[in-house]
């Protein structure tokens, strides 16, 4: 047998997650600021499983079926695009001011499946290009690499994507005779940077993408984790012209083991004979051939949680915010105290989310990652892991979501010792 795999397997993007996991496993005593995991202190998986009957009650009332029929329906192959679409639509309206009909929602096996469906459905790899804010989430870039979709990175600033940079990237793609099909971004509390796009840039970006007929894939797993001031409206909430396909995830707001997320795809697809179907209905054709449906049993648990929260996810998240806010503040204070006086060190102050960025006076590469883990007992992520272009070599991503107060104090102390030793050893 010829066991050579697709050429994408040589792409370093496919190695990043395994490489990081390996380092974490090889140095179990190290404090790890690598994983973007939510804190388990807020999990109550056992209790959440007991909320399925609440959903059954809701569905019994909605369908007029007997409870027995609704329970059986949870055990059966089920509607491709989901059975909790009404509850997600209510959450979006209550929490985000997004008015989406249940028919425009695709319930997915995590946000990752939403990305898979969109790239498979909307991209013709021979001509279509995916623009991505850079650096960005490996989930999208790794997937595009597997699917053979060309990506064009768009460099971001301290406030995230800048519309002028997006405009220039679109022109450059068009000049090569390719089609910029969509732009992927995480405008709120970006992973990996922690940045947030200001309101003026949101409006300008929407106007630009509408004019150039480029979709925006707005990925928003962290928007509810806002620690300072009021949240900003999502681009989907501001979008009046079908520019945005919105990607939702319950991984951080509820818990990731549910593997539950969704797409809002309310655009109208014009078919032969001028027939119009919601994009979500077209996407169901791809979903029916990938995961068939999102587990109805899982959907019943998510539905139960949404019902318990009276439709609002923001309400469910509110009680978790003091922990995350305090962790962010602890990490910032520790970094400031231990590294604030080192020339060339710059720390951003994210207004929300799980991550912050530290810029160093030297490049932080694989070797630094290994040395840090082995000799200093701390793990941080090189920002270059998340980037498709040069320029981020001096930055690292630190996650503050999954560590305790003690780990922050100890881990930042260790990281600061590494940085100071490196600076002292650099001529
Ligand atoms: C930007 C981004 N999108 C999506 C996800 C989560 O996706 P899922 O719902 O598949 O767990 C993450 C998790 O780390 C993320 O950082």
């Amino acid at each position: 047998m010829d066991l050579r795999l697709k050429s994408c397997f040589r792409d370093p993007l496919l190695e990043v997650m395994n490489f990081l996991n390996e380092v974490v496993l090889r140095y179990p005593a190290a404090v790890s600021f690598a994983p973007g995991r939510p804190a388990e202190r807020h999990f109550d998986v056992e209790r959440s499983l007991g909320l399925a009957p609440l959903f059954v009650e809701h569905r019994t009332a909605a369908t007029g079926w007997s409870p027995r029929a609704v329970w059986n329906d949870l055990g059966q192959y089920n509607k491709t695009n989901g059975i909790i679409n009404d509850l997600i639509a209510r959450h979006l309206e209550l929490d985000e001011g997004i008015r989406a009909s249940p028919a425009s929602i695709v319930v997915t096996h995590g946000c990752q499946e939403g990305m898979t469906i969109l790239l498979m459905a909307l991209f013709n790899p021979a001509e279509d290009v995916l623009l991505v804010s850079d650096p960005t989430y490996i989930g999208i870039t790794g997937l595009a690499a597997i699917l053979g979709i060309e990506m064009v990175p768009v460099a971001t600033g301290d406030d995230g994507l800048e519309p002028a940079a997006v405009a220039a990237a679109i022109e450059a793609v068009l000049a090569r005779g390719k089609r910029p099909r969509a732009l992927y971004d995480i405008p709120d509390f970006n992973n990996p940077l922690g940045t947030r796009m200001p309101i003026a840039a949101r409006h300008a970006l929407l106007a630009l993408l509408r004019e150039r007929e480029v979709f925006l894939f707005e990925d928003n797993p962290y928007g509810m984790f806002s620690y300072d001031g009021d949240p900003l409206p999502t681009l989907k909430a501001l979008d009046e012209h079908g520019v945005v396909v919105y990607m939702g995830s319950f991984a951080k707001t509820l818990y990731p083991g549910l593997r539950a997320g969704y797409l809002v795809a309310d655009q109208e697809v014009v078919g032969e004979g001028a027939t119009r179907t919601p994009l979500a209905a077209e996407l169901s054709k791809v979903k029916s051939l990938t995961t068939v449906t999102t587990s109805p049993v899982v959907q019943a648990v998510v539905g139960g949680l949404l019902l318990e929260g009276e439709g609002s996810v923001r309400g469910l998240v509110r009680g978790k915010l003091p922990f995350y806010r305090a962790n962010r503040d602890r990490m910032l204070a520790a970094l400031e105290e231990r590294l604030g006086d080192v020339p060339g060190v710059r720390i951003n102050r994210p207004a929300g989310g799980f991550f912050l960025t530290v810029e160093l006076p030297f490049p932080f590469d694989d070797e630094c990652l290994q040395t840090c883990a082995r000799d200093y007992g701390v793990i941080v992520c090189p920002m270059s892991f998340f980037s498709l272009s040069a320029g981020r070599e001096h930055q690292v991503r630190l996650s503050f979501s999954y560590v305790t107060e003690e780990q922050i104090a100890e881990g930042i102390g260790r990281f600061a010792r590494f940085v100071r030793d490196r600076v002292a050893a650099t001529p």
Side-chain angles (χ1 to χ4, degrees):
M1 297 299 279
D2 179 356
L3 282 177
R4 277 172 301 178
L5 300 172
K6 274 174 74 168
S7 56
C8 67
F9 280 79
R10 290 193 291 277
D11 194 318
L13 278 173
L14 270 66
E15 294 293 340
V16 168
M17 295 322 284
N18 284 346
F19 181 72
L20 271 174
N21 286 340
E22 249 170 55
V23 175
V24 171
L25 289 175
R26 200 173 326 140
Y27 304 105
V31 175
S32 177
F33 298 128
R37 294 177 167 198
E40 280 152 33
R41 62 170 56 210
H42 302 123
F43 289 7
D44 195 344
V45 177
E46 189 178 349
R47 203 185 61 82
S48 74
L49 298 184
L51 293 174
L54 201 56
F55 174 72
V56 169
E57 211 176 282
H58 167 81
R59 195 148 167 81
T60 302
T63 56
W65 302 346
S66 69
R68 171 85 192 150
V70 172
W71 279 111
N72 281 345
D73 191 55
L74 296 185
Q76 192 50 275
Y77 287 113
N78 215 305
K79 289 170 78 172
T80 310
N81 278 0
I83 54 174
I84 55 169
N85 310 47
D86 57 330
L87 296 174
I88 293 175
R90 182 154 71 120
H91 140 60
L92 286 171
E93 177 148 19
L94 280 175
D95 290 331
E96 303 285 7
I98 295 173
R99 298 176 75 99
S101 74
S104 69
I105 292 169
V106 185
V107 184
T108 57
H109 187 85
C111 179
Q112 190 64 32
E113 192 204 358
M115 294 179 194
T116 312
I117 292 172
L118 284 178
L119 293 190
M120 289 176 80
L122 292 177
F123 282 76
N124 179 354
E127 60 208 39
D128 295 335
V129 169
L130 174 67
L131 305 174
V132 291
S133 51
D134 189 76
T136 197
Y137 181 52
I138 291 279
I140 190 90
T141 48
L143 180 67
I146 289 172
L147 294 174
I149 294 169
E150 184 191 340
M151 287 171 277
V152 168
V154 186
T156 46
D158 288 348
D159 286 331
L161 264 184
E162 286 153 8
V166 177
I170 291 173
E171 293 316 318
V173 171
L174 289 171
R176 286 195 284 119
K178 295 268 185 155
R179 181 166 69 151
R181 185 68 163 134
L183 164 70
Y184 169 86
D185 190 32
I186 310 145
D188 283 288
F189 317 130
N190 184 283
N191 176 11
L193 292 168
T195 52
R196 172 163 61 165
M197 187 187 291
I199 188 75
R202 292 176 192 235
H203 286 289
L205 185 62
L206 280 176
L208 168 73
L209 296 179
R210 183 191 175 204
E211 190 201 320
R212 307 313 263 149
E213 296 199 22
V214 177
F215 284 113
L216 174 66
F217 295 162
E218 180 179 21
D219 187 6
N220 190 21
Y222 303 103
M224 299 261 163
F225 295 85
S226 172
Y227 311 137
D228 304 325
D230 290 332
L232 294 178
T234 61
L235 282 94
K236 184 69 190 164
L238 300 172
D239 176 25
E240 292 171 0
H241 302 286
V243 170
V244 181
V245 180
Y246 185 82
M247 300 171 164
S249 170
F250 293 112
K252 316 292 162 151
T253 52
L254 301 180
Y255 55 92
L258 288 164
R259 308 306 308 127
Y262 58 90
L263 293 173
V264 181
D266 50 5
Q267 291 74 5
E268 280 198 330
V269 180
V270 182
E272 280 173 27
T275 54
R276 287 171 181 273
T277 34
L279 177 57
E282 294 293 332
L283 297 180
S284 76
K285 295 174 188 168
V286 177
K287 183 166 171 72
S288 72
L289 295 167
T290 51
T291 57
V292 183
T293 183
T294 301
S295 160
V297 178
V298 163
Q299 291 188 68
V301 175
V302 176
L305 283 161
L306 290 176
L307 286 162
E308 190 188 45
E310 294 176 354
S312 167
V313 174
R314 203 175 286 285
L316 296 175
V317 171
R318 195 166 292 126
K320 306 176 186 181
L321 295 184
F323 166 81
Y324 288 109
R325 183 187 292 115
N327 261 16
R328 177 204 57 178
D329 292 344
R330 283 183 195 116
M331 189 174 274
L332 284 172
L335 283 165
E336 193 49 49
E337 187 192 324
R338 305 289 195 130
L339 286 173
D341 62 326
V342 177
V345 167
R346 229 180 101 210
I347 303 154
N348 78 345
R349 186 190 159 79
F354 285 14
F355 309 102
L356 56 79
T357 304
V358 179
E359 191 158 311
L360 300 167
F362 55 85
F364 191 98
D365 53 14
D366 290 14
E367 179 273 313
C368 290
L369 171 62
Q370 298 275 5
T371 305
C372 244
R374 186 186 57 234
D375 300 341
Y376 293 82
V378 61
I379 296 171
V380 302
C381 281
M383 194 64 82
S384 56
F385 278 13
F386 308 109
S387 183
L388 299 176
S389 54
R392 297 283 174 176
E393 292 75 14
H394 286 241
Q395 293 182 342
V396 290
R397 183 193 80 170
L398 269 64
S399 160
F400 52 81
S401 58
Y402 188 63
V403 275
T404 60
E405 188 173 351
E406 296 71 35
Q407 286 171 319
I408 290 176
E410 183 58 38
I412 296 298
R414 294 177 186 183
F415 180 56
R417 276 196 291 284
F418 165 78
V419 172
R420 287 180 180 280
D421 287 353
R422 260 306 145 114
V423 170
T426 310

